[in-house]
Every structure is written in structure tokens, then in C-alpha cells.
Amino acid sequence: MDTFTQISRPLYRLFISTGDNCTMRCDLHVHSIASGMFTVPGLNRICRESYNDPAEVYDRLKRMSMSIVTITDHDSIDGAEALRRHPDFFLSEEVTVRMPSGTEMHMGVYGITERDHAEIQRRSNDFIALLMYLTERKLFFSANHVFSGLTGRRKEEDFHWFESYVPAFETRNGQMWPAANDSAARLAARLGKIGIAGSDSHTIAGVGHTFTEVPGARTADECFAGLRAGCGGVHGVHGSCGKLTTDVFSIVRSLFRDKPWTLALSPLAVLVPAFTVGHWMNEIRFCRKWSSAVERGGKRKRMLWDMDSNFEANWAS
């Protein structure tokens, strides 16, 4: 798609007719076995983040009526190898990015190439350097689970960076507390950010239950053009503690199948509910702390590297 249809809402509406084409759906946050190992100490050597087979993920997403398919594994595109033959598949990843404050965040980057992946990983420890590359390449990217403590601590200046530079926020994540999604949606609306949605599913059961929808689009390029033009919508389920507990049990069962010797640890499975409840309570605390801080925050000083917060305007200059 030509760039001019990506930077102008009137042109998008002129060239992409919502009346002549069906609505396009895509789960923009999905994991497979290529997402690597679990990050919890003690489990990071034996248990994977996800045991989803990429081909099974693709089939499940199509059964869930997704028009186009992507996989957003953590800092990896290895899971895409088996899916490249599908014309409705496009390459993406979830990047672990080091912020200027020293904290980390997860960023979804979509419609990339293998060369993009290599450069993104090379710059992932420097948010500003990565931002410059994504902007130059006109890649669509988002701040994922904005009000979640999954990546550790957060600092107020991180939200200032999000406000200044990140064009899209994940405003519905299928694993997050509903209030965390609502807070992300309010912040996105206040800042004029694009809202996207994805299941963030690490198990097959949750794949495709939360998704982004763009009317009138026919290809992945047109889908992202529609999002940039403000024509997208978020749909599907939120997370819950019960859902998280079920998913963790599913991952544990996959671990036992993958490494039968770990069955000796099966008595410890009774601790899973305590683990998930503790994690869920921490997520609630984190969300309440930072959503309150962001919503009561005043007007900040302009930053040295500030660009127009309307991402498309930066392309047109």
C-alpha cells in the first residue's frame, strides 16, 4: 500500500471503502513455543512460556474467524517459519525494550522482515535508538499491557516516553485485569493513541478470543492503515484470575509431557492457585498505583526529543 493512504484519514476512507469489503479481524498478541523460557527463577531452565505449536495456533485463529494471522513471540520470529507459506500470515514480534529510565517494557512490532527483526533486537536495549529505526521504517508498534507489572518496576517518566513516541496502546489484553484494560483505554483516548487488542494467550484455549477489528480492509497493510486512520476497534474478553490459573495448569501439563522427569515435581502443582492469586493481587496493586498517578498527573515539560504525538504527522514531514 502506498504511504499516502497511511497518513491521511480522508484518503484512507476514500480508497478503502467500508461498504464494499468485509471486516478484517486479527489477534495482535499471540505466543508460541518460540517465546522462550519462563522467566521465574527456578523455572527458567525447565519450563517454557508457551507450548503452543505455531501451526496449531494458525489453525485455531482461522477457526476463530481471524482474517489475518500473526505470532508475537518474545524477541523471536522462529515460530513463523512454518507459517510463511500462508498468504494471510505476516511477521511480528513482542520486543523486550530497555527504557531510558532503566526499566523494561514489552512492545509489539508488526509487519516486519527478518532484517527488521535483527535490527530491532540489536537496538532493544536502547529505546531511543529503537524508536528512530521503527519511525524510519514506518513500522506500526504498540506499548503492550501498559498498566501491568509483568516487566517489573515502572517509573513516571516511562509514561512520558509512551505519550511522546508510541503511536498505539494495547487497550484490551485477554490476560489482563479488566480495570487495567479500562485504564489503558482511557489513557489512549486522552492522548489520542490508537487502541489495539490481542489475547496474549500462551495456551491454545485462549487464542483468538480477544482481537482487533478494522472494517473495509482487505490485506494486512490496509488493516494497519485503517488503524492509523482511527477506523479500528477492540473486541473480546478480558482476563481473570481463574483464567490465569487454568492457563498455568495447562502449561504445567505441557511441561510434564515435554519433560517426563518433571512429574516428580507434580505435588508442587497444588501451589499454582496460590501463585496465580499472588500474581493477580500484585497486578491489581500495580494498576491502581500507576493509573492513579497518570490520571492525576499535570502537564509535563516538553522533552528534548519530542515529536508530534500524532505518529502519522512525523512521516509527512
Side-chain angles (χ1 to χ4, degrees), residues 96-105 124-127 151-155 157-158 161:
T96 305
V97 184
R98 177 76 61 179
M99 299 296 293
S101 66
T103 65
E104 290 184 342
M105 60 91 71
S124 62
N125 282 326
D126 186 337
F127 174 80
T151 56
R153 62 194 178 91
R154 181 67 61 222
K155 291 190 176 180
E157 67 179 272
D158 296 338
W161 288 106

Side-chain angles (χ1 to χ4, degrees), residues 43 46 255-256 261-269:
L43 294 176
I46 61 172
L255 168 64
F256 292 160
W261 65 266
T262 60
L263 282 168
L265 304 175
S266 59
L268 297 178

Side-chain angles (χ1 to χ4, degrees), residues 123 129-139 311 315:
R123 299 180 183 225
L130 177 59
L131 173 77
M132 295 300 103
Y133 179 78
L134 299 178
T135 304
E136 179 185 358
R137 291 279 293 125
K138 301 181 177 66
L139 293 171
F311 189 55
W315 301 356

Side-chain angles (χ1 to χ4, degrees), residues 3 6-7 134-135 138-139 228 311-317:
T3 300
Q6 298 181 2
I7 63 176
L134 299 178
T135 304
K138 301 181 177 66
L139 293 171
R228 292 177 177 119
F311 189 55
E312 295 84 357
N314 299 311
W315 301 356
S317 60

Side-chain angles (χ1 to χ4, degrees), residues 1 16 24 68 90 214 216-225:
M1 170 172 286
I16 310 299
M24 180 161 278
I68 50 177
F90 62 97
V214 180
R218 298 158 295 188
T219 66
D221 284 342
E222 290 183 0
C223 179
F224 289 113

Side-chain angles (χ1 to χ4, degrees), residues 76-89:
S76 173
I77 58 172
D78 292 346
E81 191 59 39
L83 306 182
R84 294 179 186 275
R85 61 186 176 87
H86 297 290
D88 55 359
F89 174 78

Side-chain angles (χ1 to χ4, degrees), residues 19 29 85 201 228 233 289:
H29 196 163
R85 61 186 176 87
S201 185
R228 292 177 177 119
K289 172 185 175 180

